[in-house]
């Protein structure tokens, strides 16, 4: 069948799952109209991914999406692990996660996709369902693709950038010839959504281990629970999952006396640990499960993919707009490849710890883990990792620290490349309390100028006038509140500056995806100019992005 040729698009997104929808939404917020195709004719009702982590919710806050998710999901304040009926660990997000979202939100993937799709449509996006990518050819200025529609019609199209968000069996990954390095684990898993009958709080999430077997419980909206069962390789059942099978797993692992009923979704699967060798292939970019798959232990998969999309969106938008060089996308590859590598290693280790079945290894684990996990530093490190707040880009080419000759760097709670922490800020002469995150809209770079005197910040703002289309600039005045103006911002006790490691005066540049690009002590324009030179388009040397 001959293929009809249609007009070009700057960005073609293949896959309308959480990653593709997040990328489409973030591009639309920046004025880029991508084309979004999905081979399935209707949105999937497979609940699959469940947990929405703290960092993902923070990134979804400026658009209002996080609020809608929280209203529909279940807040899980902690996660407990038991072995042979004895508690090994309790990881408390409420007390150890420094965020407005100090919990894990459980929300079935279809609900997440529905909320994201609604926002995409509201911004003028169109999700073309029943359209499948069947071939692509890389060219100097972009990619030529062949698409097949549900009626069998084939279409030939061109796009400057093609982004594969099409999951673990990605056709995009296959067509570019990316190597998917890794292995398939021997463990077999069964999962389902069921109604539990027990005397357990409705927001309780926990796992029960017993000699190499595991069952975990996660509350979901509507009074149901997601159960996840792991078997030793030699004990794994086959065929369709039954209610009796789930009940046998509960009776074997716990909790004692719990009963199950009303299954609504059941699935059996094995775990793969794989990642691609490259995330960017000329004008093709891989995102989410198309680039990395791993154990579901820890609930990191969907969140990591969505954060791939947040990292990519602002960079791709600037490239498409001609404000930044294509080289900027190299930072997407380097930053997210490292995150993917660490993710596969970390989830693999957690899986092996949970599913070990040799008696001596289990005894050692059950003796050591309770003592280690009671340590405050371990609690903070584990919960921050699960909440995805510990992700950082300290070694990124976009990250820099600057300290003047008379300024000592000293110890800082954060470094350039880390997630930008939230903190209190006083707004205007009315002394209205506010939060820094209220100033981050996710579209532009934000420059914080910490200064004692208003005049110092004003002088710097004047030098930044050529960048005003790409930057939001906030003078954060130290000391006593000024008597002028409603748009002034204050840090009277220096607590916000302390969170950013600014001892006296300095600059903090925050990227659109909420990570610190630059810290400078003292206030200086030179490091800002170097940063912008790094990412600006060679064809437009005066252009500065944000």
């Amino acid at each position: 069948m001959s293929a009809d040729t249609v007009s070009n698009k700057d960005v073609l997104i293949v896959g309308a799952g959480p990653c593709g929808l997040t990328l489409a939404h973030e591009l639309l917020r920046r004025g880029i109209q991508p084309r979004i195709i999905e081979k399935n004719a209707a949105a999937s009702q497979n609940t699959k991914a469940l947990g929405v982590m703290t960092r993902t919710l923070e990134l979804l806050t400026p658009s209002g999406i996080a609020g809608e998710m929280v209203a529909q999901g279940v807040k899980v304040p902690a996660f407990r692990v038991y072995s042979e009926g004895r508690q090994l660990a309790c990881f408390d997000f409420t007390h150890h996660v420094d965020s407005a979202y100090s919990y894990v939100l459980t929300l079935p993937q279809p609900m997440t996709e529905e909320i994201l799709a609604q926002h995409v449509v509201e911004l003028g996006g169109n999700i073309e369902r029943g359209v499948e990518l069947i071939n692509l050819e890389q060219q100097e200025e972009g990619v030529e693709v062949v698409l097949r529609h549900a009626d069998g019609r084939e279409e030939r199209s061109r796009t400057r950038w093609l982004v594969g968000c099409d999951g673990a069996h990605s056709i995009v990954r296959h067509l570019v010839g990316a190597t998917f390095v890794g292995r398939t684990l021997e463990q077999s898993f069964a999962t389902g959504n069921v109604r539990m009958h027990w005397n357990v709080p409705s927001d309780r999430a926990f796992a029960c281990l017993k000699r190499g077997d595991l069952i975990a419980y996660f509350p979901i909206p509507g009074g149901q629970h997601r159960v996840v069962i792991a078997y030793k390789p030699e004990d794994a059942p086959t065929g369709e999952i039954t209610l009796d099978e789930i009940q046998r797993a509960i009776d074997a692992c716990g909790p004692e006396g719990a009963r199950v009923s009303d299954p609504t979704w059941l699935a059996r699967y094995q775990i793969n640990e794989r990642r691609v060798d490259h995330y960017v292939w000329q004008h093709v970019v891989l995102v989410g499960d198309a680039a990395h798959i791993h154990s579901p232990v820890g609930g990191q998969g969907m969140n990591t993919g969505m954060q791939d999309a947040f990292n990519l969106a602002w960079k791709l938008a600037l490239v498409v707009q001609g404000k930044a060089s294509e080289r900027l996308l190299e930072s997407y590859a380097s930053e997210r490849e490292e995150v993917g590598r660490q993710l596969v290693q970390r989830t693999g280790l957690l899986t092996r710890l949970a599913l070990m079945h040799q008696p001596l290894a289990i005894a050692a684990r059950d003796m050591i883990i309770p003592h280690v996990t009671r340590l405050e530093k371990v609690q903070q490190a584990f919960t921050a990792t699960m909440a995805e707040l510990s992700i950082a880009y300290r070694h990124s080419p976009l990250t820099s620290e600057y300290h003047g000759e008379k300024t000592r760097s000293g110890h800082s709670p954060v470094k350039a490349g880390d997630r930008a922490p939230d903190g209190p800020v006083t707004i205007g002469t009315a002394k209205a309390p506010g939060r820094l995150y209220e100033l981050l809209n996710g579209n532009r770079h934000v420059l914080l100028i910490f200064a004692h005197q208003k005049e110092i910040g004003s002088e710097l703002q004047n030098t930044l006038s050529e960048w005003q289309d790409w930057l939001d600039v906030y003078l954060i005045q130290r000391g006593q509140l000024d008597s002028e103006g409603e748009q002034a911002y204050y840090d009277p006790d220096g607590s916000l500056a302390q969170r950013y490691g600014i001892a006296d005066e300095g600059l903090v540049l925050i990227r659109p995806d909420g990570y610190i690009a630059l810290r400078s002590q003292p206030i200086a324009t030179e490091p800002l100019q170097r940063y912008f030179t790094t990412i600006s388009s060679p064809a437009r040397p005066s252009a500065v992005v944000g």
Side-chain angles (χ1 to χ4, degrees), residues 37-42 127-132 148-153:
I37 64 170
E38 166 59 53
K39 69 177 182 179
N40 295 315
I127 303 167
E128 300 179 47
R129 298 194 180 274
V131 181
E132 181 180 5
R148 180 183 293 133
H149 292 252
D151 60 4
R153 176 176 59 90

Side-chain angles (χ1 to χ4, degrees), residues 75 100 150 187 210 236 281 355 371 382 412 420 434 459 472 474 488:
K75 299 176 183 178
Q187 252 79 26
K210 189 168 185 179
W281 296 72
L355 300 180
H371 297 287
F382 187 91
S412 170
E459 291 175 6
D472 291 330
Y474 295 99

Side-chain angles (χ1 to χ4, degrees), residues 457-477:
S458 299
E459 291 175 6
L460 179 59
Q461 284 179 296
N462 290 334
T463 67
L464 299 176
S465 59
E466 62 177 303
W467 303 338
Q468 61 185 355
D469 291 339
W470 298 279
L471 269 175
D472 291 330
V473 181
Y474 295 99
L475 170 63
I476 311 294
Q477 190 170 327

Side-chain angles (χ1 to χ4, degrees), residues 14-15 19 164-171 173 180 287-293:
V14 180
C19 301
C165 302
D166 51 341
H169 303 288
S170 170
I171 184 64
R173 183 182 67 233
F180 213 27
V287 169
D289 284 356
H292 47 76
I293 55 174

Side-chain angles (χ1 to χ4, degrees), residues 105 122-123 125 132 160 193 213 262 270 327 356 390 409 423 442 462 491 537:
L105 184 75
E122 287 176 355
L123 290 178
E132 181 180 5
R160 284 183 61 194
N193 297 339
D213 292 332
D262 305 318
Q270 283 188 294
R327 294 195 311 270
M356 58 177 51
S390 60
S409 60
N462 290 334
D491 181 22
S537 171

Side-chain angles (χ1 to χ4, degrees), residues 95-263:
H95 292 98
H96 295 101
V97 170
D98 183 15
S99 173
Y101 306 102
S102 55
Y103 47 79
V104 175
L105 184 75
T106 59
L107 189 72
Q109 185 169 326
M111 298 175 72
T112 296
E113 291 182 8
E114 182 179 0
I115 294 171
L116 288 167
Q118 179 183 349
H119 279 259
V120 166
V121 172
E122 287 176 355
L123 290 178
N126 176 42
I127 303 167
E128 300 179 47
R129 298 194 180 274
V131 181
E132 181 180 5
L133 173 72
I134 60 174
N135 198 18
L136 68 83
E137 181 182 339
Q138 296 259 28
Q139 299 176 341
E140 185 176 350
E141 297 298 326
V143 187
E144 183 171 290
V145 300
V146 179
L147 311 176
R148 180 183 293 133
H149 292 252
D151 60 4
R153 176 176 59 90
E154 291 186 358
E155 168 196 333
R156 188 176 298 275
S157 179
R158 294 182 182 86
T159 182
R160 284 183 61 194
W161 296 96
L162 187 150
V163 186
C165 302
D166 51 341
H169 303 288
S170 170
I171 184 64
V172 177
R173 183 182 67 233
H174 173 72
L175 291 173
V176 297
T179 302
F180 213 27
V181 180
R183 59 177 181 151
T184 300
L185 301 187
E186 294 181 352
Q187 252 79 26
S188 175
F189 284 75
T191 188
N193 297 339
V194 299
R195 191 167 298 278
M196 296 301 304
H197 303 275
W198 55 11
N199 294 319
V200 173
S202 60
D203 63 352
R204 182 71 59 86
F206 59 100
C208 299
L209 316 180
K210 189 168 185 179
R211 301 170 195 169
D213 292 332
L214 171 151
I215 186 167
Y217 305 90
F218 305 91
I220 59 177
Q224 285 191 311
H225 277 73
R226 164 73 57 80
V227 296
V228 179
I229 304 166
Y231 297 101
K232 293 189 289 292
E234 63 271 18
D235 295 340
T238 58
E240 292 187 4
I241 302 169
T242 65
L243 202 59
D244 286 343
E245 178 186 332
I246 297 174
Q247 187 64 56
R248 286 195 300 272
I250 294 171
D251 293 341
C253 296
E256 185 176 348
R259 310 302 296 174
V260 65
S261 69
D262 305 318

Side-chain angles (χ1 to χ4, degrees), residues 428-451:
T429 56
K431 302 182 181 180
R435 305 291 298 179
L436 176 64
Y437 273 19
E438 296 170 11
L439 308 181
L440 309 184
N441 62 23
N443 275 344
R444 293 146 62 93
H445 281 75
V446 169
L447 179 64
L448 306 179
I449 307 172
F450 291 94

